[in-house]
């Protein structure tokens, strides 16, 4: 059997590819600029994955040249989901629809579908093309509010503003960056033309944030893990630093979150594959959805779920794509697991990274990955969508997760010099 992976280069997905290599199928890959990926697949085709049309053409040409049919299409990164949907439709293999793939990437369309569905609580929202439109919309929504791109990910060009003075100061930078920063995205051209380079404004939701990792098969949602995000995420930017599981939420609240996650999948017509859903929990204990992505959670989430529950979500995605029943049984008690992403404190060029080997040798550390190296240029929010690396670790007692995170974080240091 053959599986075609549609991919946008992302160093945090090496673990996903390594596991897929062991699953047993012939692996084919389409990516724009292959670097480390070829060692994990049987055949790689370079194509302009910023163009859905070019990607579909490359996939059809690849399929015609193969001696056996392509049985499934998968994507491990968000930017590849629309192309994967289009390729799957062209090849006649299961995947979410092209419409659903688009909605799950466009945050305005997603909000619209959630609101239309009626069973997915969300904040007030709207589009603003100009500062005057943003001021009027802010009057309707109320401050504080969050400005964010329609497309994109990783909290890049997402910013909280608390009043009209901050809105006036930051609106144009965020609006322009929300499009110019994603000109490589397959949805960029069509959505910019459709929405006129508008910016999404949403009411700010005060509360703790969580993420939910699920597998959907035949329209049925199976929640595999819930991660807490213990550090306050109050803005103005929203870097995702520290996650941990099992969740500390009550069983009643977990049941409500699982119900709302399934409702979100229904609203977007996600009937197959993996999803990554984010909520905020308000002061009165009500989950309010931020968004749902029709793919596996990014970076270290895969390893965290595997370490904590024993469930391999890459295996599950491949099994579902091939029409098999995935193994989602948790073999025993959830193992307390945390991970954190690390960032440079200022923009520039990395001159040194220290503490990596010390962290790697520390008790309970499962994985340390660097996405950047000495000499690489780095940015800071709001101009960044990915951390510079991550650490996954375990503890014996969940009550120790926060303290252990702080200890490991303090071991690491990234030094940056101004870019010449």
């Amino acid at each position: 059997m053959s599986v075609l992976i549609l991919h946008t280069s992302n160093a945090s997905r090496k673990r996903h590819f390594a596991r897929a290599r062991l699953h047993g199928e012939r692996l084919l890959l389409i990516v724009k600029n292959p670097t480390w990926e070829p060692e994990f697949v049987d055949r790689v085709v370079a194509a302009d994955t910023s163009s859905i049309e070019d990607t579909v053409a490359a996939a059809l040409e690849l399929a015609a040249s193969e001696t056996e049919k392509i049985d499934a299409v998968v994507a491990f990164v968000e930017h590849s989901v629309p192309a994967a949907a289009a390729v799957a439709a062209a090849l006649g293999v299961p995947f979410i629809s092209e419409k659903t793939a688009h909605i799950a990437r466009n945050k305005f369309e997603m909000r619209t579908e959630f609101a239309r569905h009626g069973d997915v609580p969300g904040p007030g929202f709207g589009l603003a093309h100009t500062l005057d439109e943003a001021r009027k919309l802010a009057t309707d929504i109320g401050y504080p509010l969050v400005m964010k791109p329609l497309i994109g990910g990783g909290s890049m060009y997402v910013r909280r503003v608390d009043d009209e003075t901050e809105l006036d100061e930051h609106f144009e930078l965020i609006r322009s960056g929300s499009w110019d920063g994603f000109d490589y995205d397959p949805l960029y051209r069509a959505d910019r033309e459709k929405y006129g380079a508008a910016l999404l404004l949403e009411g700010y939701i005060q509360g703790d944030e969580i993420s939910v990792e699920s597998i959907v098969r035949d329209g049925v949602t199976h929640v595999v893990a819930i991660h807490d995000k213990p550090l306050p995420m109050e803005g103005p930017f929203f870097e995702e630093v520290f996650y941990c599981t099992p969740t500390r939420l009550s069983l009643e609240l977990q049941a409500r979150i699982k119900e709302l996650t399934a409702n979100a999948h229904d609203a977007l017509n996600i009937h197959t594959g993996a999803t990554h859903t984010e909520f905020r929990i308000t002061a009165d204990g009500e989950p309010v959805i931020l968004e749902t992505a029709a793919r596996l959670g990014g970076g270290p989430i895969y390893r965290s779920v595997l370490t904590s529950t024993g469930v391999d979500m890459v295996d599950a995605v491949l099994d579902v794509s091939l029409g098999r029943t995935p193994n989602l049984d948790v073999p025993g008690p959830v193992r307390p697991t945390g991970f954190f992403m690390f960032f440079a404190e200022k923009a520039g060029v990395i001159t040194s990274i220290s503490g990596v080997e010390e962290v790697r040798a520390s008790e309970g550390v499962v994985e340390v990955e660097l996405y950047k190296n000495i000499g690489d240029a780095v940015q800071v929010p709001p101009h960044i969508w990915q951390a510079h690396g991550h650490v996954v670790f375990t503890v014996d007692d969940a009550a120790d997760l926060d303290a252990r995170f702080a200890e490991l974080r303090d071991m690491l240091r990234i030094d940056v010099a101004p870019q010449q």
Side-chain angles (χ1 to χ4, degrees), residues 53-67:
E53 294 78 10
D54 287 357
T55 304
V56 171
L60 291 174
E61 183 177 347
L62 172 62
S65 68
E66 283 284 300
T67 57

Side-chain angles (χ1 to χ4, degrees), residues 271-342:
H271 56 81
T272 188
T275 68
H276 171 73
T277 306
E278 296 175 336
F279 291 90
R280 287 243 168 155
I281 313 298
T282 65
D284 59 2
E286 178 63 21
V288 178
I289 197 165
L290 298 179
E291 58 189 60
T292 292
R295 43 85 181 168
L296 288 170
I301 288 178
Y302 163 63
R303 189 64 184 271
S304 179
V305 172
L306 178 61
T307 301
S308 60
T309 69
V311 174
D312 193 309
M313 293 193 73
V314 169
D315 277 357
V317 166
L318 291 167
D319 285 338
V320 168
S321 71
L322 292 163
R324 303 169 183 161
T325 301
N327 180 8
L328 303 178
D329 295 331
V330 178
V334 173
R335 185 180 183 187
T337 303
F339 68 84
F340 65 93
M341 277 83 76
F342 47 91

Side-chain angles (χ1 to χ4, degrees), residues 32-268:
K32 186 174 184 177
N33 295 308
T35 53
W36 53 265
E37 299 92 350
E39 68 175 290
F40 298 107
V41 300
D42 297 289
R43 185 176 176 186
V44 59
V45 172
D48 183 4
T49 50
S50 67
S51 165
I52 293 177
E53 294 78 10
D54 287 357
T55 304
V56 171
L60 291 174
E61 183 177 347
L62 172 62
S65 68
E66 283 284 300
T67 57
E68 60 180 45
K69 68 183 290 287
I70 295 173
D71 301 286
V73 171
V74 299
F76 297 137
V77 295
E78 186 169 2
H79 297 98
S80 296
V81 171
V87 167
L91 296 178
V93 299
F95 204 77
I96 58 174
S97 71
E98 293 177 78
K99 178 181 178 181
T100 291
H102 193 151
I103 293 171
R105 287 287 331 285
N106 183 298
K107 293 173 174 56
F108 173 69
E109 295 184 8
M110 185 188 303
R111 280 278 175 228
T112 301
E113 291 302 315
F114 287 159
R116 181 179 294 124
H117 192 267
D119 292 327
V120 189
F125 68 98
L127 292 180
H129 300 80
T130 65
L131 180 57
D132 285 343
E133 289 181 0
R135 287 172 177 165
K136 183 178 185 303
L137 191 56
T139 300
D140 296 335
I141 296 174
Y143 290 101
L145 56 81
V146 177
M147 304 183 292
K148 60 174 60 175
L150 274 67
I151 59 176
S155 298
M156 185 172 173
Y157 292 107
V158 177
R159 184 183 181 109
R160 168 178 163 163
V161 291
D162 292 339
D163 52 39
E164 189 168 291
T165 299
E166 290 189 355
L167 180 66
D168 291 355
E169 180 180 357
H170 301 294
F171 174 80
E172 185 52 36
L173 170 66
I174 299 299
R175 189 205 62 80
S176 60
S178 292
W179 292 99
D180 297 342
F182 299 106
D183 58 358
Y184 60 87
D185 193 292
L187 302 182
Y188 171 81
R189 186 177 304 170
D191 281 20
R192 180 163 187 155
E193 181 176 344
K194 180 177 180 179
Y195 291 104
L199 187 65
L200 176 63
L201 273 60
E202 297 179 349
Y204 172 73
I205 305 161
Q206 181 71 44
D208 296 330
E209 190 165 315
I210 63 166
S211 74
V212 182
E213 313 311 319
S214 305
I215 294 292
V216 187
R217 183 171 187 265
D218 296 332
V220 178
T221 295
H222 305 271
V223 171
V224 179
I226 299 175
H227 284 86
D228 297 334
K229 303 180 187 181
L231 296 184
M233 297 179 65
E234 298 176 344
F237 306 114
F238 298 94
E239 309 100 291
E240 296 182 293
V241 176
F242 174 39
Y243 289 58
C244 62
T245 191
T247 179
R248 303 161 194 182
L249 300 176
S250 68
L251 293 177
E252 292 80 7
L253 190 48
Q254 291 181 52
R256 176 65 173 152
I257 288 164
K258 291 176 182 179
E259 175 189 9
L260 291 176
T261 301
N263 290 349
H265 296 160
D266 289 343
L268 304 186

